[in-house]
Amino acid sequence: MMTAEQIADTLRRLREVTAQRIVGQDQVIEQVLAVFLARGHALVEGVPGTAKTLLIRVLAGALNARFGRIQFTPDLMPSDITGVNILHDVGRSFEFHPGPIFADLLLGDEINRAPAKTQAALLEAMAERQVTIDGTPRPLGDLFTVFATQNPVEYEGTYPLPEAQLDRFLLKIRVGYPAADAELAILKRYAEGFDAERAADVTPPPVLDQEQCRQLRTVVDTVTVSPEVQGYISAIVRATRDDPALTLGGSPRATVALFRASRAAAVLAGRDFVTPDDVKEYAAPVLRHRIILSPELEVEGRSGDDVIENVLTRVPVPQ
């Protein structure tokens, strides 16, 4: 088991090697790390060109994990991502050819462009960490993590994700534009020779091996969550169910997700216990894709994050 000093040093180096290549997105990096530590999956939303793909490639390199990428399109079939059995003439036997889903960190680009049956194949993989081909279940690695992206400004030719699949994502991470100074820092890096399309520049030296990744995830399971903080987590999610501004509130799975994300946040902060601030920090990323606004608020231009912020102001914080 890793010591507290080893954990702190490992997380510091992970942040450093990622931030060297992903400039101006420190909060996004923290949330992506939290998803991995908590054994979850993430929906990553942002306009094109905000380094979503680059971020996952860099993280895979730092974790010494197998990276896979799927570009979702309307004609993509489930077998295109899971793999197929090929019949060989010699011996008349079948040989399984695995698809790109057999990876540790899987990037699903524009997941909302895939048809429903392809989304369902991904849903099985996310929920059960296995895929079924010709009736045979085939397990995925225990580090299997999905980061699915979608473009928030272009919906023509897309298939909206059903609530059942959205609920499988631990977090919905929003990637915005970098600040002005960060954008200048990006240009400076390119002026010095960095190229995001050059593999040598993108892939950092490994910070961890796969066994250390497993140990780091095990540490999250040992984080203490006091009964008072557990009650706070439950009260926040339950408050979304009674809020008149929402037609759908968070499910019990949302309560568990906020619990898991808060534990990961504590580890990232160098603590072995969860504070109410950890819960507040991850309330919006955990809940924003699990709630549905009432039509009146949508007309007014309000967002789910606004409602979650109001809920946080109403629910008493444990002392």
Side-chain angles (χ1 to χ4, degrees):
M1 182 65 69
M2 301 173 72
T3 66
E5 292 77 13
Q6 288 174 324
I7 294 168
D9 181 61
T10 297
L11 292 174
R12 177 188 59 78
R13 288 186 291 137
L14 270 176
R15 290 186 181 100
E16 284 180 356
V17 299
T18 308
Q20 285 171 3
R21 293 159 177 82
I22 309 296
V23 180
Q25 299 288 4
D26 293 346
Q27 184 181 47
V28 174
I29 293 171
E30 287 290 299
Q31 292 176 359
V32 166
L33 288 173
V35 168
F36 180 77
L37 291 178
R39 299 184 180 88
H41 309 286
L43 186 63
V44 185
E45 185 176 86
V47 298
T50 47
K52 301 184 295 296
T53 302
L54 180 61
L55 171 58
I56 308 308
R57 289 176 62 191
V58 170
L59 182 62
L63 296 173
N64 199 23
R66 296 173 299 160
F67 173 75
R69 182 172 182 262
I70 301 172
Q71 180 65 53
F72 286 94
T73 58
D75 60 348
L76 195 72
M77 300 296 289
S79 59
D80 294 330
I81 66 172
T82 60
V84 294
N85 285 312
I86 303 295
L87 177 63
H88 289 277
D89 288 335
V90 180
R92 307 298 293 174
S93 61
F94 284 95
E95 180 181 352
F96 176 62
H97 288 234
I101 201 169
F102 286 85
D104 295 322
L105 267 62
L106 177 68
L107 176 69
D109 258 337
E110 297 188 289
I111 186 177
N112 53 337
R113 293 197 180 279
K117 59 184 176 182
T118 305
Q119 292 178 2
L122 184 64
L123 175 61
E124 181 198 3
M126 291 168 54
E128 303 176 20
R129 284 181 164 78
Q130 69 172 25
V131 294
T132 303
I133 296 103
D134 295 337
T136 303
R138 296 185 180 274
L140 302 166
D142 57 354
L143 297 182
F144 178 70
T145 306
V146 174
F147 294 94
T149 73
Q150 63 178 12
N151 184 344
V153 296
E154 186 180 356
Y155 293 105
E156 187 174 347
T158 62
Y159 301 82
L161 296 175
E163 281 72 20
Q165 186 159 343
L166 285 173
D167 208 29
R168 295 290 179 184
F169 290 102
L170 183 73
L171 303 184
K172 181 178 181 180
I173 301 172
R174 287 196 170 137
V175 184
Y177 292 116
D181 57 342
E183 201 155 356
L184 288 173
I186 293 171
L187 292 179
K188 182 180 179 182
R189 286 191 54 77
Y190 272 86
E192 294 170 349
F194 176 81
D195 187 348
E197 297 181 0
R198 190 163 51 223
D201 290 356
V202 171
T203 307
V207 175
L208 295 168
D209 58 32
Q210 295 210 353
E211 182 55 37
Q212 289 172 318
C213 287
R214 295 183 184 95
Q215 289 182 22
L216 201 55
R217 283 178 153 188
T218 302
V219 170
V220 176
D221 299 333
T222 66
V223 171
T224 301
V225 187
S226 68
E228 293 79 12
V229 174
Q230 291 182 35
Y232 183 52
I233 291 170
S234 176
I236 290 172
V237 179
R238 294 181 67 85
T240 65
R241 301 171 197 164
D242 303 326
D243 198 311
L246 301 174
T247 58
L248 179 68
S251 67
R253 184 183 285 139
T255 309
V256 174
L258 186 53
F259 178 87
R260 291 166 57 198
S262 300
R263 274 181 150 183
V267 172
L268 288 168
R271 285 182 272 102
D272 61 357
F273 60 92
V274 172
T275 68
D277 286 340
D278 296 325
V279 179
K280 287 182 181 179
E281 181 182 358
Y282 279 85
V286 166
L287 293 171
R288 60 169 59 118
H289 56 297
R290 293 180 161 95
I291 59 175
I292 297 179
L293 284 178
S294 66
E296 295 80 6
L297 263 70
E298 287 185 347
V299 171
E300 294 173 8
R302 302 277 297 281
S303 70
D305 284 16
D306 296 331
V307 177
I308 294 167
E309 188 62 35
N310 288 336
V311 167
L312 291 176
T313 60
R314 295 200 311 268
V315 176
V317 181
Q319 302 299 319

